[in-house]
Amino acid sequence: MDAPQRHETVGVQVGHVQVGGGAPIVIQSMTNTDTADVIATARQIIDLAQAGSELVRITVNTHEAAAAVPEIAGRVRGEGITAPIIGDFHFNGHTLLAKFPRTAALLDKYRINPGNVGAGRRRDENFAAICAIARDNGKPVRIGVNAGSLNQDLVVRKMQENTGRALGRDSQDIINECMLISALESTQMALDCGLRDDQIIISCKISSPRHLIAIYRELARQTRQPLHLGLTEAGMGLKGIVWSAAPMGVLLSEGIGDTIRVSLTPRPGGDRREEVHAAQEILQALGLRSFAPSITACPGCGRTTSTTFQELAEQIQGYVRDKMPEWHRVHEGVETLTLAVMGCVVNGPGESKAANIGISLPGTGEAPTCPVYIDGEKFTSLQGSPEQLAEAFQRLIDEYVETKFPARRPA
């Protein structure tokens, strides 16, 4: 199936990364450290970037956080990480950017929430101040509208209009309309402040997948600015991944979206990189980008009472993830490799033949051998403990990568 026709947008340069303008969809993430903690924040930026986050956003909410940005950037760049660093501003961004000009110069993009830059006339003045600093520093901005922090003057006005004119509109529809109005009016204000079309990215985030789809369809109809996709709060674990994947899958399959973030709530002490891996899987599942070898694994049924195939699938997935940074550095195209770990004779041989390398483990009552197929042809049969099977299968994967994927040319 061909890739969807992309929503035509202008290209915005964020550091060395282009967002929109037909560029590949960009993955981004956000740190959850106290930005004033230089070492922890720099470490997490590095971890996220190495996991595949192409843009990394940090909170800049206090004088201490703003003052820490130059040292954070220095540590990150000193480790050879080039991922653009984005400053996330709420309430006092105009003050912090003005007071810390080196921070303003080092950040690669500013995120502005138009719903909380101030009240009344001060709202427009503060918004314009941030845009002016971005203009003078040649920085792009993201106008990031959130349902939970909308301009309340706008919401009240639209609610009163609905009541006064007896329009009978649903309150959620009014919130959605206010988000669109805020995004589009703020974009025009940024342009009036001297920012160019190719310096503005838009997002309208909400926690409902269904409403996210409706809002972004309308945004795509009314603007050519690149669009940042994501639920504002997706939730934890499986729920967060599914709720993010559902609307993103719909929108991306319609060609809407230029950069994405999966905003997962991590478990206490959990791995922040999970949101990067989830975003990669969404794009790879849709055939929009490839990041790592895909592994087809049997879900198991009454024919697969042994847990060996499950253990092998888990070991191979971990092995591939650990090896991928090295493989990607050395070999061209290795992310297109396909693997299969199957649990019985029903689909095992067929799925294994369809992969570059596949193994079909015996189900209940089957002969205790594991045929291995390479590029559709039976190559060998393996036997032994789960550990022995894993070691042998890993060797076959290593040999395949070494012989089938050419050495990457120096940049």
Side-chain angles (χ1 to χ4, degrees):
M1 182 181 295
D2 293 336
Q5 183 68 36
R6 293 277 296 278
H7 166 230
E8 185 178 332
T9 61
V10 298
V12 173
Q13 201 68 28
V14 183
H16 66 91
V17 176
Q18 180 174 313
V19 178
I25 296 162
V26 175
I27 288 175
Q28 60 181 282
S29 59
M30 186 174 183
T31 60
N32 62 354
T33 56
D34 177 356
T35 305
D37 185 338
V38 170
I39 294 174
T41 302
R43 182 70 259 163
Q44 194 170 82
I45 293 171
I46 292 166
D47 288 345
L48 290 168
Q50 289 177 336
S53 184
E54 293 153 311
L55 304 175
V56 181
R57 182 159 44 111
I58 63 174
T59 295
V60 186
N61 58 335
T62 64
H63 285 61
E64 293 78 11
V69 168
E71 187 177 351
I72 290 169
R75 286 175 177 267
V76 170
R77 303 303 179 224
E79 291 292 322
I81 300 299
T82 61
I85 301 173
I86 300 160
D88 192 65
F89 295 97
H90 299 268
F91 307 111
N92 58 355
H94 58 292
T95 301
L96 296 176
L97 285 167
K99 185 167 183 178
F100 296 92
R102 182 152 172 74
T103 290
L106 284 172
L107 289 169
D108 293 289
K109 185 179 77 172
Y110 312 151
R111 183 276 175 98
I112 315 171
N113 183 339
N116 60 22
V117 292
R121 189 175 67 181
R122 297 295 299 173
R123 177 184 299 110
D124 292 350
E125 292 174 355
N126 296 343
F127 183 90
I130 299 176
C131 290
I133 294 170
R135 178 198 64 210
D136 294 345
N137 282 277
K139 304 295 181 179
V141 302
R142 171 162 67 95
I143 295 171
V145 179
N146 279 359
S149 53
L150 268 172
N151 175 352
Q152 288 306 297
D153 292 342
L154 173 62
V155 174
V156 169
R157 187 173 78 246
K158 283 294 180 180
M159 290 289 187
Q160 290 175 340
E161 177 185 284
N162 182 56
T163 302
R165 296 172 57 186
L167 299 177
R169 299 181 63 197
D170 179 84
S171 61
Q172 187 59 60
D173 288 338
I174 295 173
I175 293 294
N176 293 355
E177 181 190 9
C178 289
M179 293 180 70
L180 285 163
I181 291 171
S182 178
L184 297 173
E185 287 185 350
S186 297
T187 298
Q188 186 57 54
M189 189 182 302
L191 293 169
D192 293 342
C193 290
L195 288 176
R196 304 184 308 272
D197 242 9
D198 64 356
Q199 288 179 286
I200 304 169
I201 297 170
I202 298 175
S203 68
C204 282
K205 291 190 174 184
I206 196 166
S207 295
S208 162
R210 184 165 56 91
H211 290 294
L212 192 82
I213 292 169
I215 290 167
Y216 274 86
R217 282 173 173 166
E218 192 60 26
L219 268 179
R221 192 180 70 80
Q222 295 195 43
T223 183
R224 290 183 62 242
Q225 301 311 128
L227 301 179
H228 167 104
L229 294 188
L231 293 178
T232 185
E233 299 102 7
M236 297 185 74
L238 180 62
K239 184 264 185 185
I241 292 171
V242 172
W243 279 49
S244 293
M248 285 189 193
V250 171
L251 291 167
L252 292 168
S253 70
E254 294 177 1
I256 298 171
D258 301 282
T259 177
I260 67 171
R261 180 189 174 207
V262 179
S263 299
L264 295 180
T265 304
R267 296 181 302 277
D271 190 342
R272 191 66 164 179
R273 295 173 298 178
E274 287 181 359
E275 65 178 44
V276 180
H277 298 147
Q280 290 174 331
E281 293 292 350
I282 290 170
L283 294 181
Q284 190 152 333
L286 294 169
L288 295 171
R289 291 186 66 184
S290 293
F291 298 95
S294 65
I295 302 172
T296 300
C298 174
C301 68
R303 299 178 64 93
T304 56
T305 52
S306 168
T307 61
T308 301
F309 80 94
Q310 297 166 313
E311 294 164 3
L312 181 60
E314 185 175 40
Q315 286 179 280
I316 296 303
Q317 182 162 293
Y319 182 75
V320 167
R321 180 159 285 170
D322 289 342
K323 293 284 287 187
M324 191 57 199
E326 176 191 340
W327 286 345
H328 186 266
R329 186 175 62 254
V330 176
H331 296 284
E332 194 80 41
V334 69
E335 62 274 4
T336 63
L337 175 67
T338 57
L339 306 171
V341 179
M342 303 302 294
C344 81
V345 74
V346 173
N347 291 322
E351 291 283 1
S352 296
K353 290 177 184 178
N356 294 130
I357 312 176
I359 184 169
S360 179
L361 276 70
T364 305
E366 295 177 22
T369 60
C370 309
V372 175
Y373 300 84
I374 295 182
D375 291 331
E377 300 293 331
K378 184 176 178 181
F379 179 77
T380 188
S381 290
L382 301 178
Q383 297 186 51
S385 67
E387 292 75 18
Q388 291 171 324
L389 290 175
E391 289 176 7
F393 196 58
Q394 287 166 10
R395 283 196 298 271
L396 292 174
I397 296 171
D398 286 337
E399 291 169 5
Y400 190 95
V401 170
E402 192 64 35
T403 57
K404 297 289 186 176
F405 294 98
R408 188 177 293 277
R409 294 178 181 176

